[in-house]
Amino acid sequence: MDAFGGLMHGFSVAVSPMNLLFGFLGAVIGTIIGILPGLGPLGTMALLLSLTYGFDPTAGMIMFAGIYFGAMYGGSTTSILLNIPGEAASVVTVLEGYKMARRGRAGAALAVSAVGSFVAGSIGILALSFMAPSLAMAALRFGPPEYFTVALVGLMIMSRLTGGNLLKALMMMAIGLALGTVGMETVAGYMRYTFKQPALAQGIDFLPVAMGLFGISEVLMTAEQPEENVSLQKVRFWELWPTLDEWRRSFWPMIRGSVIGFFTGLIPGPSPVIATMLSYSTERRLDKTGEFGKGAIAGVAGPEAANNAAVGGAYVPLMALGIPFTPAMAVVMAVLLIHGISPGPTLMSDKPDLFWGVIASMYIGNFMLLVFNLPLVGVFANIIKTPLFILMPIVLLLCLVGVYSINNALLDVWLMIGFGVLGYAMRKLKYDSAPLVLALVLGPMMERSFRESMMISRGDLAVFVTRPICAALLTAGLLVVLAPPIVSALRRKRPGDVPSA
Amino acid sequence: MRSTDLAFSGFVLVVAIGYEAMALWMPQGSLKFPGPGYYPKLVGMFLIATSLGCLIQALLARRSVRPVKSAGDAVPRPMVGKTVALLGLLLGYGFLLTPLGFPIAICLFLLAAIRVFGYRRWTIIILLALGLTVVSYVTFVTWLKVPLPLGVVGDLLD
């Protein structure tokens, strides 16, 4: 059975009223969970895992795809409306999405985010259908040196992510890396920077830091503004939707984001985070409108597409090799294992119904997300018109309860408050929070892969440049970071070379 | 702004030096077998270098820019009192969550937070705070099974 025939067969298996209902249910649950900070897609899927015992495997997979994609989209909703990234992958969406909301374009940002997620999900699933086996083999060639290089390139891109002061961005990144070293280290079980607090042994979670730096600091900043300065631009109902020009400006970022996201998703670890950063920096460099930093729609469309396409990419090693590269994929694999199905190289030939049914089910989950969320764009966009004396306490309530629910620990509440104060100070001093949060996510992967690489290579640092994938990644990273300043320096020099008439 | 920038970079530099000193106390291992302190040592060096860079940058900027006082500056002053009050409420919630329990702590927090944001009618404030408490309790404790501390409410329920 060829890929196209297989996909059509998959749809014939997956499309039934009951499966569509499960897909819709998954999208609803996922979106709600994504909107509530704290309980992410992983926790929700783990909670609902036991429910799937009684389901048909395809129905279970459809529901889980809906939850996963829905939670990704829900996380973006709070990023755009309230400046609270519910997921690490939504941090980049905050940069332009929230600024769009402040300009009265929340509806446009949400609609582009929903459509971008759908387009990217579709491209990712098609790529998964046609290229899964060959791509999975390529993904397997990644070892610790390659992971380290990926993280390093991620940090290189991050340093120029928002285009602000480079030294300040590097300092924030260093703080994020330092925070990533707190807790029990994985090789020898040594406690680092825990100050004899057992609660710190598992390290500092990303969410209290992100919710503090973005959410709490935003509320503190809003509180000190005189009320007339805070009022948002009034918008009419039809202005909630993106204009034709906004759709046009979002099209290519969505496509580029989808391609970047899918291929980045093949890499183990926090690939959606790296994908969103890559997409954002690409769009920023290609931008000719000068809107970046003020609420550029391309800065929402690209990263949102990349985020969703990375999920499709993450399915490749799971479906083709039976290896889950991310914790969420491990839960998806558990759904299959519960029903006695082992994903892997023979799944496509042994159980074509299931293989193609699962791929089609992802598509249905993604479509259900669009069906559920697009009509709600207006409702969500109106949330920010709620009077401040109601909206801000609700934001604080969500943060306080959400952050506790991560580990059921009071320490996370304290951490969030602490980082809220730090975020407030950083905003006053024009320091950017995004590099800190993203470095905190990438730091542990970077350390682990560095130490493993050194053990494998017996302390030879050349391993990071002699391995072909590492060399290619480093070259690409250096090009991304160094090319723009070099090009702009050359451009500045050129008019001086020619004597003016 | 320049002096606060200077103070912030200086503060980070002090923290960075402390971080590095603690990293150096940890087992270092070698490049062949890096120990638990090897990577933090590198991170600490990076943090010291960047915070020092920011400090120098702020110092240079302070020298080059002399503040000019303009008489007609009409930018409204931020209401820092509200921010301080909110921060106090957040700290208060943190301290009261375990002894009083989530329902009472969050209700008190909401009552005060709505008031801080400038709403004056107490009847509405009380109704809103109670309503939000009930909704959040049902959503998180009953539906999502988040084991939030129930404190004295838990004792009463028992």
Side-chain angles (χ1 to χ4, degrees):
Chain A
M1 195 185 299
D2 67 333
F4 183 75
L7 197 58
M8 290 300 110
H9 178 67
F11 276 113
S12 69
V13 173
V15 177
S16 71
M18 195 48 83
N19 286 346
L20 290 177
L21 182 70
F22 276 116
F24 188 74
L25 207 63
V28 174
I29 295 171
T31 307
I32 293 169
I33 293 300
I35 287 171
L36 300 175
L39 206 69
L42 183 62
T44 314
M45 291 191 326
L47 273 174
L48 295 175
L49 190 61
S50 56
L51 269 183
T52 62
Y53 277 110
F55 292 0
D56 168 70
T58 315
M61 286 296 293
I62 289 178
M63 194 169 98
F64 271 48
I67 291 173
Y68 198 16
F69 286 114
M72 288 290 190
Y73 178 75
S76 314
T77 308
T78 49
S79 296
I80 291 167
L81 297 179
L82 306 172
N83 202 30
I84 303 173
E87 284 292 311
S90 306
V91 172
V92 172
T93 310
V94 164
L95 300 175
E96 300 300 325
Y98 185 64
K99 289 193 178 101
M100 280 187 74
R102 302 294 299 177
R103 284 201 290 123
R105 302 302 298 147
L110 288 169
V112 160
S113 165
V115 174
S117 299
F118 176 71
V119 169
S122 309
I123 291 176
I125 292 158
L126 282 177
L128 170 64
S129 316
F130 290 95
M131 300 192 278
S134 50
L135 284 176
M137 294 318 288
L140 266 192
R141 291 178 64 189
F142 269 68
E146 282 77 16
Y147 300 155
F148 176 78
T149 320
V150 167
L152 190 67
V153 170
L155 292 182
M156 284 157 73
I157 293 163
M158 200 193 302
S159 67
R160 304 302 298 141
L161 194 67
T162 50
N165 185 306
L166 178 65
L167 256 178
K168 285 184 172 182
L170 288 174
M171 188 172 93
M172 288 299 108
M173 196 196 291
I175 295 174
L177 290 176
L179 287 171
T181 61
V182 174
M184 190 196 286
E185 59 94 34
T186 47
V187 179
Y190 192 89
M191 292 289 185
R192 299 185 304 198
Y193 307 106
T194 53
F195 303 100
K196 294 184 179 159
Q197 295 291 316
L200 277 175
Q202 56 186 334
I204 294 179
D205 201 279
F206 137 82
L207 267 173
V209 179
M211 285 161 79
L213 288 176
F214 290 100
I216 299 290
S217 73
E218 177 65 27
V219 177
L220 294 177
M221 289 294 285
T222 309
E224 69 172 33
Q225 299 296 317
E227 206 137 314
E228 60 272 20
N229 288 11
V230 181
S231 61
L232 296 155
Q233 202 177 317
K234 294 276 181 290
V235 282
R236 294 178 194 90
F237 180 76
W238 60 87
E239 285 174 351
L240 286 170
W241 294 92
T243 59
L244 208 61
D245 184 50
E246 282 173 328
W247 281 123
R248 189 184 54 75
R249 279 187 284 142
S250 308
F251 178 74
W252 284 112
M254 277 181 201
I255 303 295
R256 282 190 290 267
S258 305
V259 176
I260 291 171
F262 180 76
F263 286 101
T264 317
L266 297 170
I267 303 165
S271 48
V273 182
I274 299 171
T276 53
M277 278 168 21
L278 266 174
S279 167
Y280 182 81
S281 59
T282 307
E283 296 313 325
R284 198 184 172 98
R285 295 203 196 299
L286 294 174
D287 176 56
K288 290 190 178 84
T289 61
E291 269 190 350
F292 268 78
K294 298 168 201 148
I297 200 154
V300 176
E304 276 303 298
N307 177 3
N308 248 43
V311 176
Y315 266 90
V316 170
L318 174 70
M319 297 302 285
L321 301 168
I323 303 169
F325 275 2
T326 62
M329 284 303 114
V331 180
V332 171
M333 186 168 161
V335 178
L336 294 172
L337 292 174
I338 279 172
H339 293 276
I341 301 153
S342 308
T346 56
L347 183 67
M348 198 196 286
S349 51
D350 291 354
K351 290 191 173 13
D353 275 12
L354 187 99
F355 181 87
W356 293 110
V358 164
I359 289 180
S361 74
M362 288 165 60
Y363 200 85
I364 293 167
N366 216 8
F367 179 70
M368 281 299 163
L369 189 68
L370 195 70
V371 170
F372 175 62
N373 279 303
L374 266 188
L376 289 179
V377 162
V379 178
F380 285 137
N382 275 313
I383 287 174
I384 50 172
K385 285 199 224 161
T386 312
L388 279 184
F389 71 87
I390 301 176
L391 183 64
M392 290 298 140
I394 291 176
V395 171
L396 289 173
L397 166 73
L398 285 176
C399 287
L400 288 169
V401 183
V403 81
Y404 186 90
S405 68
I406 305 164
N407 297 310
N408 304 324
L410 192 59
L411 178 76
D412 287 332
V413 177
W414 290 121
L415 280 173
M416 182 185 71
I417 296 171
F419 280 101
V421 177
L422 180 70
Y424 173 76
M426 281 165 56
R427 277 164 175 243
K428 291 269 176 188
L429 299 170
K430 308 250 181 293
Y431 281 86
D432 194 357
S433 306
L436 190 159
V437 177
L438 296 170
L440 172 62
V441 176
L442 290 183
M445 168 182 162
M446 194 167 180
E447 177 182 9
R448 199 171 44 250
S449 53
F450 172 75
R451 291 176 71 179
E452 286 170 1
S453 303
M454 288 300 95
M455 287 177 198
I456 292 167
S457 68
R458 298 187 172 274
D460 183 11
L461 286 168
V463 72
F464 298 122
V465 286
T466 49
R467 289 169 72 117
I469 297 176
C470 292
L473 284 169
L474 271 180
T475 313
L478 284 171
L479 273 176
V480 168
V481 175
L482 296 178
I486 292 171
V487 169
S488 59
L490 287 174
R491 273 189 194 152
R492 271 201 303 273
K493 206 177 165 190
R494 202 172 291 162
D497 294 340
V498 182
S500 54
Chain B
M1 183 62 81
R2 299 292 174 203
S3 55
T4 43
D5 218 353
L6 200 68
F8 187 70
S9 317
F11 171 72
V12 176
L13 181 61
V14 171
V15 174
I17 292 168
Y19 176 90
E20 181 70 0
M22 287 175 78
L24 292 172
W25 272 99
M26 295 171 195
Q28 295 297 310
S30 63
L31 195 55
K32 262 187 196 173
F33 297 101
Y38 199 93
Y39 175 80
K41 182 181 70 183
L42 298 178
V43 171
M45 281 155 64
F46 181 40
L47 187 54
I48 289 174
T50 51
S51 53
L52 198 61
C54 283
L55 191 77
I56 294 168
Q57 195 178 47
L59 268 173
L60 291 175
R62 202 162 111 148
R63 270 191 197 170
S64 61
V65 180
R66 296 257 172 245
V68 181
K69 278 189 181 175
S70 63
D73 219 350
V75 179
R77 285 177 69 82
M79 296 143 84
V80 185
K82 274 189 177 182
T83 308
V84 175
L86 268 185
L87 195 58
L89 288 181
L90 286 167
L91 294 173
Y93 172 83
F95 284 116
L96 294 177
L97 180 61
T98 311
L100 289 186
F102 169 72
I104 297 177
I106 202 71
C107 190
L108 292 175
F109 174 83
L110 289 169
L111 276 171
I114 297 169
R115 188 73 181 80
V116 166
F117 274 99
Y119 198 70
R120 302 266 176 266
R121 293 174 63 186
W122 276 106
T123 327
I124 306 289
I125 293 176
I126 292 168
L127 283 175
L128 268 173
L130 282 173
L132 287 171
T133 303
V134 171
V135 170
S136 59
Y137 184 87
V138 171
T139 310
F140 289 98
V141 180
T142 312
W143 183 48
L144 291 171
K145 308 273 180 229
V146 177
L148 284 154
L150 293 179
V152 288
V153 178
D155 295 342
L156 287 174
L157 288 175
D158 290 339

